[in-house]
Amino acid sequence: MSHSVVYSFHHNNNNNNSKCLNNNSVAKGKKHDSPLSRTCGDTTSSPGGSPKPRAPTPGVLAGLDLLPLTSSDEISRRREHALRQHSFFQLRIYLRRGHGLVAMDKNGLSDPYVKFKVGGRLIYKSRTIYRDLNPVWDESFTVPIEDPFLPISIKVFDYDWGLQDDFMGSATLDLSTLDIGRNNDLTLALQDPSRPEICLGEIYITATLYPKTQEDKEQYFQKNSRIQDVNKRLKSQIWSSVVTIVLIEGKNLLACDPETGTSDPYVKFRLGNEKYKSRIIWRSLNPRWLEQLDLHLYDDGDQQLEITVWDKDRTRDDYIGRCVINLMEMERERTYNLWQELEDGAGSLHLLLTISGTTASETISDLTTYEQNYREKENLLNRYVWHRTFHNLKDVGHLTVKVFKANGLAAADIGGKSDPFCVLELGNARLQTQTEYKTLTPQWNKIFTFNVKDINNVLEIIVFDEDRDHKVEFLGKVAIPLLRIRNGEKRWYALKDKKLRSRAKGNSPQILLELSIIWNPIRACIRTLNPKEEKFMQTEMKFKRQVFVRNVLRLKVFLMHFLEIGKFFQDCFEWESTVQSFAALVVWLILCYYFQPWMLPVGGLLIFLKQYVICQLSGTPQVPWDELADSDIDEEDEDDKEKEEKKSLKERLLAIQEVTQGVQNAIGKIASLLESIKNMFNFAVPYLSWIAISLLLIATCVLYLIPIKYLLMLWATNKFLRRIFRPHVVPNNEVLDLLSRIPDDEMLTYIKLLGVSLSTHLGRLSVIRWYLQLDYKDLKLLSSPDSADRRPHPKKKHKAS
């Protein structure tokens, strides 16, 4: 019999290859109950190696049982005819487990997952089972099948973090061999054409092919189209407000895994028909997510924000707890810092929640109906007057931002228009305007207020384009330090790219703003000497070669100064110059004989005095802000080159990102700290420099009046007894806290580029001279004009170094 011959052939191949099949399309069934098996008997081998017959089973496809065994073509033709009688199928696949998979990692294990494809289209991807050669997936899925003669490709991969996943073998599932309407338990042998002699293991699945009528097919596609229409309608519906949520962390959550005593928590948010699911934090009762999401409020929608916490499990996720926030009770245009206790469970969640972007014209943020209340302004002035300084030390100031309009924006939509909205961020506070649709010159006319907690913060204003699915696209950004604000000045600010180095895309995009700030200098000084507020949502710095090289060059400037100082001392010790060495010896002996501790802060004051005299004699005025000034830095070409790199190279770079990112950021922090020290003495930020001068004067008086030994005793006593009397105090260093507020050279470069006044003839000439003579590598020299004179060609200097 032809089928018996075929079976014997495959059975012999099984014996030769140690249970490995060479034909990728052959499936060995545990309980294979196909029409052919009912005709030829069970294909289960007996101990002697020959097929063991069994009693015939009634077939689903009528007429196949009566065919002669030699008419294989007739069997295939009739099987095809029976399948073509049904216009639609549903295929359910239950992925059970794998056995004897090949090891791909150095530890002798693999991290396998399975992909199912039809005609090159991915229909399902399983989860990854880590460190297991006999994985148990226990997953099922159902897909519609219109062509049952199109085989399903099954491929197994080994997951590699940051690298390209390794191929572990493949198999093919021929749907035309399945019994219709019955469970088919199959064992699929994995094969690799490049390694035909190696046994790659097997996977066990259960496949069921359900026939459906034409009515079922129409109902299925109508249901899908109806769901898509509902989603489109919800997406196109105009929302009334945006609920911005920052999921920060959880504390003391319920332990759901008894083996480890921990949980694998994730959070689900639901507001009306919108849902969001956070990422999973593995094995933690105090997870930290730092995820931001936007949900939308509708006028006739639900105002209850439901939050549930779950523990990820293999079979069924465990419930940890829930909480509900009534958004009707929350004030608009304000950021709330919330700790929500979980009901029906244990623990709490830390959230930042803001309701903004309100489209209604009667809201308090609408500028067209806004009328200035002079009594309210007088109350604000009284709140921050100097003799009320110690009433509320945390309330440093009050910022008012009026957002009028923008023009010259880039077209982000196909029709040559955009749907822009504006986001304002000050620390962790985040507010936004409504969306103006189909325009490149939006008029928002909104007024926002912020409570200033740190006068050294920077107000960031970002313009985004909103898409139909509520995704956003960057259109431009401007960053304004609070100390640079001019009260009541209505002016245009140029929109920059994400790095604030060059113009954003578009026709010279700009935004019209008016800012006013009222603050208490003494409260601001006290806050400056305390730890800086952590900004939860920050863009993580990824490794880039340009950033790495730039940070190395920044650090190299200070290293060269230290080397020069070291060489000077070495020359003194070596008596290269007799006069220099003798003078150094005399100065050293005099300093050692007359030195007092109070001389150290006096030395710092002398440096301040020197820089102050230089600033006064040079006549360099405090340049005003002018956001229309622009730089010629254009990194779009480099970004395009990076995007054109091969995808595999990007994936491989992720593998070394963890190490190089730490080195890059460490070098950047050291360079920023050293530049901040330099800029403190240079009066880059006069307010902070005068704070440092005041502290040095106080330190001078204290060191002069009190012997150093008593000061050391007080310092040590405070350090030892601090935890006893103040157990919850946050350890800090006032000097480092002050330095963290001083901008480094990169920020000063941005400030000076934006601060060049174009209203004067001298300012225009300065800008033209910068554009013609300087490139990006030279921008660091803008902060020190004398250094630019000493180094006529910085590129040659770098090359020589």
Side-chain angles (χ1 to χ4, degrees), residues 479-679:
I480 306 173
L482 298 185
L483 288 171
R484 291 281 185 169
I485 291 177
R486 291 182 175 181
N487 287 342
E489 184 179 15
K490 185 177 179 180
R491 61 185 309 170
W492 288 96
Y493 292 82
L495 292 174
K496 303 289 185 177
D497 61 0
K498 292 182 179 180
K499 298 179 181 179
L500 297 173
R501 295 201 182 106
S502 60
R503 280 272 193 172
K505 295 180 180 179
N507 185 17
S508 298
Q510 52 187 354
I511 186 171
L512 183 61
L513 304 172
E514 182 181 333
L515 300 94
S516 297
I517 186 171
I518 304 172
W519 56 292
N520 185 296
I522 302 177
R523 293 182 191 173
C525 177
I526 296 174
R527 184 67 187 88
T528 302
L529 299 177
N530 281 275
K532 194 175 182 180
E533 180 187 14
E534 177 188 6
K535 187 173 182 180
F536 296 115
M537 293 306 298
Q538 299 188 80
T539 304
E540 184 179 358
M541 287 292 295
K542 296 182 179 180
F543 174 76
K544 286 188 176 181
R545 182 181 59 84
Q546 294 86 351
V547 178
F548 185 82
V549 173
R550 186 166 68 247
N551 289 340
V552 170
L553 292 178
R554 291 167 60 192
L555 184 61
K556 181 181 175 182
V557 174
F558 292 93
L559 291 179
M560 295 301 295
H561 287 299
F562 289 136
L563 289 176
E564 291 176 2
I565 295 173
K567 187 176 183 302
F568 172 78
F569 282 107
Q570 187 66 27
D571 292 343
C572 292
F573 293 142
E574 296 294 334
W575 290 83
E576 297 284 344
S577 172
T578 306
V579 176
Q580 174 182 324
S581 299
F582 181 76
L585 177 61
V586 172
V587 171
W588 178 260
L589 293 175
I590 294 174
L591 283 177
C592 290
Y593 185 79
Y594 290 104
F595 175 77
Q596 295 294 331
W598 55 266
M599 294 180 181
L600 289 176
V602 167
L605 290 173
L606 290 177
I607 298 177
F608 274 115
L609 179 62
K610 172 193 170 186
Q611 296 296 331
Y612 182 78
V613 171
I614 291 175
C615 292
Q616 294 299 320
L617 293 179
S618 61
T620 304
Q622 186 67 32
V623 290
W625 278 73
D626 195 325
E627 308 302 346
L628 295 178
D630 198 5
S631 67
D632 60 346
I633 303 169
D634 190 1
E635 296 185 348
E636 293 179 1
D637 295 337
E638 294 180 358
D639 294 338
D640 292 338
K641 291 179 182 179
E642 292 178 359
K643 291 180 181 178
E644 292 173 359
E645 292 180 0
K646 294 182 179 179
K647 186 177 181 180
S648 59
L649 180 58
K650 286 186 177 181
E651 294 173 348
R652 293 181 184 276
L653 284 176
L654 290 177
I656 61 172
Q657 177 180 348
E658 199 168 9
V659 176
T660 53
Q661 179 178 338
V663 175
Q664 164 191 299
N665 295 342
I667 294 175
K669 288 181 180 179
I670 295 173
S672 297
L673 178 63
L674 296 176
E675 290 172 356
S676 298
I677 296 174
K678 180 193 70 174
N679 294 332

Side-chain angles (χ1 to χ4, degrees), residues 61 170 174 188 442 451 711 779:
L61 302 179
S170 64
D174 188 359
L188 303 178
N451 288 328
L711 293 176
L779 290 179

Side-chain angles (χ1 to χ4, degrees), residues 455-456 481-485 519 521 524-525 528 608 611-612 615-616 620-625 676-696 738 741-743 748 751-752:
I455 195 61
N456 305 284
L482 298 185
L483 288 171
R484 291 281 185 169
I485 291 177
W519 56 292
C525 177
T528 302
F608 274 115
Q611 296 296 331
Y612 182 78
C615 292
Q616 294 299 320
T620 304
Q622 186 67 32
V623 290
W625 278 73
S676 298
I677 296 174
K678 180 193 70 174
N679 294 332
M680 179 181 67
F681 290 102
N682 287 341
F683 285 87
V685 182
Y687 171 75
L688 297 177
S689 296
W690 284 113
I691 291 178
I693 291 173
S694 303
L695 293 177
L696 288 175
L738 175 62
R741 288 354 191 264
I742 300 174
L748 281 180
I751 290 174
K752 289 192 176 184

Side-chain angles (χ1 to χ4, degrees), residues 105 163 193 273 327 376 402 444 459 467 478 480 495 522 613 618 671 683 793:
D105 297 337
L163 301 175
N273 293 316
L327 301 181
E376 182 180 352
K402 295 179 181 179
W444 295 292
L459 174 66
D467 291 334
V478 61
I480 306 173
L495 292 174
I522 302 177
V613 171
S618 61
F683 285 87
H793 205 304

